[in-house]
């Protein structure tokens, strides 16, 4: 148990360093390619209700995706953190409604427009590191670990290819995502 904590902490440290070294050019180019691949995906085209995080400068830039989805008339939901480890998916009508929360992540001011996790068609999941089996390491809040068991829709990891890390520690509560979308394209998680 304590050993797992140490392993995760060290790995998170290593991945945070790797993430910090990604150049703005790489992130910009890769984010644009991820967006283009997303638009081609049937799961995306068919999804009416999409849960997508608001990416920070270190992460895949999801802002163009959120804006495009709103223009396309999809129902768009973003995370609202409630307490450490607990978040809800809240409807958003315009990105200007969002305000900076912890770590500067943009989120709705309150959880009034929270919806049931099982009503979501597509969940696009952030990660610090990922592997080919669809497992992820996040920033250590356990938010998605607790949220994913509540969803019924398709869960896809959004990630930069450079953040792939095969040797991730997996715990009982970890729910693997069905697929991974990077700048190289979409792949189903290996079973
Ligand atoms: N863009 C984006 N939004 C996201 C996530 C994400 O990974 N990316 N999340 C993905 O989950 C959730 C927020 N994740 C968070 C993770 C940690 C802390 C936090 O306060 N951490 C503590 C330390 C926690 C610990 O180590 O025990 C801190 O920094 O003080 C807050 C939010 C929801 N929104
Ligand atoms: N389903 C769960 N039930 C209870 N505790 C959990 C659950 N999932 C995670 N935790 C606890 O939450 C903490 C953070 O978990 P973990 O390190 O896996 O987060 P993470 O995947 O990096 O973060 P996030 O999901 O927010 O991106 C750990 O102490 C873990 O034991």
């Amino acid at each position: 148990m304590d050993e797992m904590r140490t392993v995760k902490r060290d790995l998170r440290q290593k991945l945070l360093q790797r993430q910090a070294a990604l150049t703005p050019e790489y992130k910009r180019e890769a984010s644009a390619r991820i967006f283009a691949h997303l638009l081609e995906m049937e799961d995306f085209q068919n999804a009416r209700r999409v849960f997508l995080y608001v990416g920070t400068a270190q992460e895949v830039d999801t802002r163009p995706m959120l804006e495009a989805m709103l223009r396309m008339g999809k129902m768009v939901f973003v995370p609202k953190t409630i307490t450490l480890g607990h978040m809800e998916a809240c409807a958003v009508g315009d990105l200007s409604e969002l305000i900076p929360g912890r770590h500067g992540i943009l989120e709705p001011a309150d959880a009034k427009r929270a919806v049931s996790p099982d009503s979501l068609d597509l969940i696009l999941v952030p990660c610090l590191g990922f592997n080919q089996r669809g497992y992820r390491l996040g920033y250590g809040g356990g938010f998605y670990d607790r949220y994913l068991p509540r969803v019924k829709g398709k869960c896809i990891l959004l990630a930069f290819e450079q953040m792939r890390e095969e040797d991730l520690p997996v715990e009982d509560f970890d729910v693997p995502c069905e697929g991974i979308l990077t700048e190289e394209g979409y792949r189903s998680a290996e079973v």
Side-chain angles (χ1 to χ4, degrees):
M1 181 70 223
D2 276 353
E3 193 200 313
M4 180 59 94
R5 268 230 296 281
T6 312
V7 169
K8 279 195 168 185
R9 194 192 54 208
D10 292 352
L11 189 58
R12 198 169 276 125
Q13 221 42 52
K14 177 177 119 173
L15 289 169
L16 281 169
Q17 281 174 19
R18 200 196 297 173
Q19 188 192 50
L22 300 177
T23 67
E25 294 74 29
Y26 169 76
K27 287 183 279 191
R28 200 180 312 124
E29 167 86 359
S31 294
R33 286 174 63 188
I34 291 168
F35 183 24
H37 292 306
L38 180 69
L39 291 171
E40 301 276 294
M41 291 177 61
E42 254 180 63
D43 283 318
F44 174 74
Q45 291 163 7
N46 295 335
R48 297 196 51 244
R49 300 165 66 88
V50 183
F51 182 29
L52 173 58
Y53 64 98
V54 188
T56 64
Q58 289 74 41
E59 297 175 316
V60 175
D61 183 9
T62 62
R63 248 81 65 90
M65 302 175 193
L66 292 163
E67 277 160 2
M69 292 192 295
L70 289 167
R71 281 199 305 272
M72 294 161 98
K74 291 187 189 293
M75 306 250 276
V76 178
F77 305 89
V78 301
K80 166 71 184 165
T81 57
I82 312 293
T83 54
L84 193 61
H86 175 204
M87 66 174 178
E88 294 297 338
C90 296
V92 24
D94 193 294
L95 298 194
S96 64
E97 295 162 19
L98 306 176
I99 55 171
R102 276 188 91 105
H103 297 275
I105 296 172
L106 290 173
E107 55 175 37
D110 57 61
K112 281 190 195 127
R113 300 176 74 191
V115 294
S116 174
D118 64 12
S119 74
L120 304 165
D121 299 320
L122 179 65
I123 301 98
L124 298 168
V125 180
C127 63
L128 181 55
F130 71 96
N131 68 20
Q132 298 288 68
R133 294 168 62 213
Y135 285 100
R136 59 185 286 280
L137 184 72
Y139 298 98
F143 292 91
Y144 279 89
D145 294 331
R146 289 183 183 82
Y147 196 81
L148 295 184
R150 302 165 63 198
V151 310
K152 293 207 176 112
K154 185 146 181 165
C155 297
I156 295 176
L157 276 173
L158 286 194
F160 294 124
E161 202 62 57
Q162 292 192 17
M163 300 309 293
R164 178 173 160 199
E165 179 66 45
E166 272 321 301
D167 202 12
L168 290 184
V170 173
E171 294 187 89
D172 291 342
F173 55 71
D174 284 320
V175 180
C177 288
E178 281 176 64
I180 306 144
L181 180 61
T182 73
E183 68 270 25
E184 302 297 332
Y186 177 78
R187 56 208 192 251
S188 291
E190 287 171 2
V191 282

